[in-house]
Amino acid sequence: MKFEFYDQKLGSIFGLTDDIKKDAQSFTITSGTINFLWNRNAENLEILVDGTPLVLKPNQIATTTYLQHISYKNTQLPLTSFLFNREFYCISDHDQEVSCNGILFFGTQDLPIITIPKEQERKFNTLYEIFEDEFATPDKIQGDMLQMLLKRLIIISTRLAKEQLIVKKLDNDQIDVIRKFNVLVDTHYKTKRKVSEYAELLFKSPKTLSNLFALYNQKSPQQIILERVALEAKRLINFTDKQNQEIAYELGFNDPAHFSSFFKKMTSLSPSKYRETNGILQ
């Protein structure tokens, strides 16, 4: 079962399918989308995120963005997906309306996975049915109604994420700083490699950032920056036919030898050895 709302004038899309593996390429727009992936089965299923297996347990939801390479080739069960693009609903534009909605979209390195508690399953299933009903009502305000329902999905999922994924001692402002840092790294990692550069963009001191991330998890801001560069390098090796020198320059390295040394330090393999080991994935 597949539903789609598409506004040709705006280039906006919102879709719902109960089998994204089957329907992924049948939507009017097939790239540049954000996805809520919901395992509604009674068994685990697997997806590949940037070539790495990710297991979703029953009634777990993962949110992915257009910055990630998602493959369903190992997915053996139907996987429900709500998908939309920035033209339909821009997360950053709704920051003030949906408190900390960005915690579902922290960045590309740590994929948020939430588990729907037993006592909230009815709420999510009811919302799913309301989405179905709205898709069956094609009128002039259908897009507005679907946006409202999507906002509700984001809100209730965000509440669960804050309960399940966020350290309790962090307040909303601190969570927002972490989210903004990750978004900035996704935007500027090719040109900015120092924590101080991001601290300046956030009007914080480097020490404040380091202390905040020490509360949140084990990774330092500097480690996050370097891992983002390494992740993009692996993506370019895995999913393109670009040569090592091209990748080095694309990622902001003036010297391919410097890139090779960096990559080996981060992955324990040279770019050429990594390419031989992994090959180009599709």
Side-chain angles (χ1 to χ4, degrees):
M1 182 170 48
K2 167 181 169 284
F3 301 96
E4 175 182 314
F5 171 84
Y6 174 63
D7 187 324
Q8 185 175 8
K9 184 180 296 185
L10 298 177
S12 65
I13 190 169
F14 180 66
L16 169 60
T17 172
D18 60 3
D19 192 346
I20 187 62
K21 181 177 181 177
K22 176 171 68 72
D23 295 328
Q25 297 305 312
S26 64
F27 288 98
T28 303
I29 297 175
T30 58
S31 62
T33 58
I34 293 170
N35 286 259
F36 277 77
L37 301 174
W38 177 9
N39 182 7
R40 303 177 72 216
N41 303 282
E43 302 175 34
N44 294 352
L45 59 76
E46 180 181 299
I47 62 175
L48 293 175
V49 181
D50 293 315
T52 302
L54 175 74
V55 174
L56 281 182
K57 297 177 181 178
N59 269 320
Q60 282 192 331
I61 293 175
T63 54
T64 65
T65 76
Y66 41 81
L67 295 174
Q68 290 151 328
H69 188 286
I70 310 299
S71 171
Y72 306 106
K73 69 177 185 178
N74 292 348
T75 306
Q76 302 300 318
L77 295 170
L79 175 60
T80 295
S81 175
F82 299 87
L83 62 91
F84 60 97
N85 63 2
R86 289 174 56 87
E87 287 76 12
F88 182 79
Y89 189 99
C90 182
I91 299 299
S92 59
D93 289 349
H94 290 76
D95 274 352
Q96 300 306 315
E97 297 180 42
V98 185
S99 175
C100 295
N101 66 43
I103 69 175
L104 295 173
F105 314 97
F106 254 174
T108 62
Q109 299 188 73
D110 295 312
L111 196 68
I113 299 175
I114 61 172
T115 301
I116 302 174
K118 194 73 177 175
E119 64 272 15
Q120 293 199 36
E121 288 179 10
R122 184 182 63 83
K123 180 192 297 184
F124 276 83
N125 288 327
T126 298
L127 182 58
Y128 182 89
E129 293 174 0
I130 296 173
F131 270 112
E132 289 183 312
D133 289 342
E134 190 54 45
F135 272 111
T137 312
D139 56 24
K140 291 184 178 180
I141 62 171
Q142 185 186 47
D144 293 329
M145 287 296 294
L146 289 171
Q147 282 187 343
M148 290 172 61
L149 291 173
L150 175 58
K151 183 175 178 179
R152 175 163 176 74
L153 175 64
I154 291 173
I155 289 172
I156 61 177
S157 298
T158 295
R159 287 173 177 166
L160 289 179
K162 291 178 71 174
E163 292 175 6
Q164 298 173 12
L165 306 178
I166 302 298
V167 178
K168 299 299 183 184
K169 65 182 71 173
L170 296 177
D171 60 33
N172 282 351
D173 288 341
Q174 292 172 315
I175 294 170
D176 197 46
V177 170
I178 292 172
R179 179 191 64 79
K180 286 180 178 178
F181 174 83
N182 281 275
V183 171
L184 286 171
V185 170
D186 273 334
T187 304
H188 300 292
Y189 66 91
K190 293 181 181 179
T191 58
K192 298 183 188 299
R193 303 282 168 82
K194 297 179 180 178
V195 175
S196 59
E197 294 176 295
Y198 292 96
E200 183 177 352
L201 292 174
L202 291 166
F203 304 102
K204 304 289 183 183
S205 71
K207 185 176 181 180
T208 296
L209 281 183
S210 297
N211 290 341
L212 182 55
F213 275 84
L215 284 176
Y216 175 61
N217 59 20
Q218 300 298 313
K219 294 181 182 179
S220 68
Q222 186 64 61
Q223 185 179 358
I224 290 172
I225 297 167
L226 297 179
E227 287 186 0
R228 180 64 182 90
V229 179
L231 174 61
E232 192 65 22
K234 289 189 284 186
R235 286 175 176 165
L236 291 169
I237 292 173
N238 284 336
F239 306 119
T240 75
D241 58 1
K242 293 182 178 180
Q243 298 304 304
N244 295 341
Q245 183 172 334
E246 293 178 90
I247 294 173
Y249 291 138
E250 182 169 336
L251 295 179
F253 292 89
N254 294 324
D255 182 0
H258 181 204
F259 165 67
S260 181
S261 175
F262 165 81
F263 190 87
K264 188 169 184 178
K265 181 178 180 180
M266 296 297 294
T267 68
S268 300
L269 295 172
S270 69
S272 297
K273 191 66 177 178
Y274 182 86
R275 189 185 301 275
E276 291 173 12
T277 305
N278 290 271
I280 294 178
L281 303 177
Q282 299 295 340

